[in-house]
Amino acid sequence: MSQSLNVKDSTIVIFDNRLHFFIDAVEAAANDKSHFARSASPYLIPFVAVNEALEAIEAYSNEPKLAYKAVEPAFSRLKFSLRTTVARHFADSGVFTDLVAYGKELTSRGKNKDDGALSAYLRINSSDIKRSAEEARKVCIDSDAYATELGNYISDIISDVNRGNNSAYKLLDRSAKELIAFIVAQGRTPASFLSRLQSFWSGSEDLTMKLSEFKKCVLESPSTFQVAVVIDGTAQTRGLYSHDFFTVLHNKQISWLLTENRASLPPVANSDLARFCYKHWRLDGVTEPSDSIKMNSQVLLVKVKAWDHEQARHEALDKAEAIVDLINAEHRAMGFGVKRKVAVWQEGTRDVVQLTSNSVQVPFTRLLNISRSPSVDRSLRFATRAATERAGSMQTFFSWIALEYLGRGGTRTPQNTISAAVPDLVSLVAVKQLIIEAWHELTYASGPEDLPPSVLDSIRRPEERSKKAPNPHLFDKNMFAHLLISDGEHVKEFASIARITPEQATRAITDFISYKATLSQFSQHKLRQIRDMMRTPTKLVEYMVDVQSTADRTMQRMRFVRNQTAHTASSTSTEHMALSKASLMILDSVFESVTRIKGKPVDALAKIRDQRSQFLTVMKKHSSKYLLPYNPNKNLLI
């Protein structure tokens, strides 16, 4: 009896560890501060790839001479998306078999660079290809088949007692990216989804119930929200009812719209709306405003379908901005606008939530040290537009233009320059990010101050060691990387690199191993993963090639969205949101790198490609299991 209880307790611990691991993995994949290779943003899931393939086919139908070259890459990316963990379930279905066959034929003709043959094939088959893509889209989205398979797959990994933890952790880490990519593709806010996940997983001890709630959350339908938006510069607009907007009047009772079942509205929700209105009407403290009071803004109510408050805000602002476009056009673009702050009420709930754009406060800032030129100044301006724009397609558009300006001045066109150079650069930056990620996982829970003194002393920068109160955040990346890959058998080598005694090196390695054992399962897993890559040059080469390939596909998608946006600009905020985040990460990597090489950015991009080539050559020749094949402090932009 005692033995069976112990087995049961052990199983509960395994499940609990996996649940906590998955929460951490989802949080990491959804974090806006994650670097390109770690984020879920570049992850391409099937129905997003199908949508892009459909857009390419439709673009070809409208402008065959201009858009035919975009079709083959789109279908190539679609084929790649079917290799993902869950998508393999659909890869063999009849509709996808047809679609993959079309893609193979397109790829074959595209590789042969036979534009005439490619155009002829599209001219004959474009209608059938489009029909097949639309059917595939229904399989993925309309039937909820993809969401169902994704929820079941993750649940099975967590609950499989016959699977080892290391295997389960690898699959859960990968699945977390796919889950967040799916959530963002729906327009949902990852932070809201994660909060719900944490809430119901912490509220029950029953694993079956937890996993059932998780699958419900993945499959959940959007709710009805009411959003109050503010249009500035005018007090009232005629004709709004035909656009599903309702005007809140200051001299009438202020209330949310009646719900579908005509249930009574919560008094608290109405009071919150009234306070929101008075604030924007600049009537704070006035209980009953009279008709004679002149106001310079109006509050409109609109109903939207969304999964969370933040998405509801975006949907409502999109609709309001479309209204303002009509007002500005009617009044010769006089400058009417929509305020970013809104009040959101989810029907059936008691309270109202006020939301505005997320702006991180940074007390102390610094200037980017970059060689100035007209093209660089324009690039920086577009980079700012990309960072502050709400619509995902426009963020991607501005990010591409910012990169394009950095590619000017070379022998090739700017578009081809950045298409070739940027993926290489991103893969090189990803190597440095491995060290930064390892440091983050090591210090995430409590900060560097809690690291054992022997560990901190062994990785301090030489100039920091002589100080009475050295900064624990300043460490030597090369020394830390060598400590990370050390396994207790290379004490003398580590002591030599860190410039400490063998006794000090032994203590640092021992304390480091002990400290890692106190970290979360997710942090331990990531540290092992990074350690294995950095100790084995072949694995590091594979990692760089994979990041380069992912960045290349992302750049292709950016280029396609840039061209699509230039012709058919989308005003929706959540479309291409994942791609826009990946675009900003790529842009950040480029600015970080080109500033380290003097001269024009286009020349820096060429030098970076040469450095990557040299780096790969060194690693392929390197066979040591201890000494790193590079110096993270001095070489390769690090």
Side-chain angles (χ1 to χ4, degrees), residues 367-378 380 599-601:
L367 301 178
L368 179 69
N369 184 17
I370 189 171
S371 300
R372 300 289 294 276
S373 68
S375 63
V376 170
D377 287 346
R378 294 187 186 102
L380 293 169
K600 295 189 297 184

Side-chain angles (χ1 to χ4, degrees), residues 578-589:
L579 178 60
S580 69
K581 289 184 181 297
S583 304
L584 293 173
M585 291 174 187
I586 286 176
L587 192 58
D588 183 60
S589 295

